[in-house]
Amino acid sequence: MTDLHNILIVTAVEGEKEAVEKGLEGDARFTVIAGGAGIASSASRTAKELGKRRFDLVLNMGIGGGFRGKAEIGATVIGCRSVAADLGAETADGFVAIESLGFGTSSYACDPETLEKLQRAIPGAVTGDVLTLSTVTGSAATADHLAQSYPDAVCEAMEGFGAAAAAEAFSVPFAEVRTISNPVGPRDREAWKIKEAFVGLTEAGAKLKEVF
């Protein structure tokens, strides 16, 4: 994967898309789309683009919530894995991941070569698992439970696993990059730093030109 000429970047919303494009400054190697919020929208829109032409890499980029003590507001996160943290079944003994049910996988590893390049380009970034959730965490109890269940998790968002699943279906390498706008836990919109996280996405977008 030395020479990458066609890279698909999937964000959730237009604000994220515009922030990333600002950093890319029109670099023709990158196609950026706003795939919509949630796993299903991200998977379907990513698959639609991959069905049009060949891409060398899929990047899911956007803002997200950071786990306290691991990825604070303003941090940039590089995913090692995209994990569908609520994909499975509830039992009397607690949550059971889909692997234990024999129905598939709840995680996709990010491409190791891309991960290494991103780490070199963004040396201050936090590296760890990014959880994909259909319901964003809104309580300290859920935040603590997720942190205990997924000790390598540094961030939560809503799209990464979907984009990763589409990339896997088309045998295209995948990676995920997030900037942190808020802590995982009780929702306090007044304390969120969305504009600052968008600035972080622009800075990350600029780094991509150097990475590839």
Side-chain angles (χ1 to χ4, degrees):
M1 202 177 64
T2 302
D3 298 319
L4 302 183
H5 303 289
N6 294 300
I7 300 168
L8 176 63
I9 298 177
V10 183
T11 70
V13 298
E14 286 294 330
E16 294 167 328
K17 176 178 180 288
E18 292 169 2
V20 173
E21 287 179 328
K22 184 176 180 181
L24 293 173
E25 296 181 319
D27 191 316
R29 294 173 297 166
F30 298 90
T31 299
V32 188
I33 65 169
I39 296 178
S41 292
S42 181
S44 62
R45 283 298 309 278
T46 301
K48 181 178 180 180
E49 292 299 319
L50 292 176
K52 291 179 180 178
R53 61 189 177 99
R54 175 69 187 180
F55 284 94
D56 301 312
L57 175 69
V58 172
L59 278 175
N60 181 227
M61 296 184 69
I63 65 175
F67 283 92
R68 296 181 188 275
K70 293 185 177 180
E72 305 300 333
I73 292 176
T76 297
V77 166
I78 301 170
C80 292
R81 295 190 305 159
S82 291
V83 181
D86 54 6
L87 183 60
E90 184 179 15
T91 74
D93 297 320
F95 176 78
V96 177
I98 197 168
E99 286 91 344
S100 298
L101 303 174
F103 295 148
T105 183
S106 63
S107 69
Y108 290 104
C110 294
D111 177 67
E113 184 178 341
T114 302
L115 177 63
E116 183 179 340
K117 289 181 177 180
L118 290 169
Q119 288 174 317
R120 288 201 304 265
I122 315 173
V126 178
T127 301
D129 291 347
V130 180
L131 305 186
T132 303
L133 296 165
S134 295
T135 301
V136 173
T137 301
S139 71
T142 300
D144 291 343
H145 174 72
L146 288 171
Q148 293 172 9
S149 300
Y150 300 95
D152 295 326
V154 296
C155 173
E156 75 166 23
M158 300 181 75
E159 295 82 28
F161 182 83
E168 176 75 11
F170 283 84
S171 300
V172 178
F174 171 83
E176 184 168 5
V177 176
R178 295 273 170 181
T179 55
I180 303 303
S181 61
N182 58 279
V184 176
R187 293 172 64 81
D188 181 7
R189 290 297 298 268
E190 293 183 0
W192 290 10
K193 303 294 183 182
I194 293 178
K195 290 182 179 180
E196 291 83 351
F198 281 172
V199 170
L201 280 180
T202 298
E203 294 172 351
K207 292 292 186 181
L208 294 181
K209 297 187 297 180
E210 304 171 14
V211 173
F212 304 112

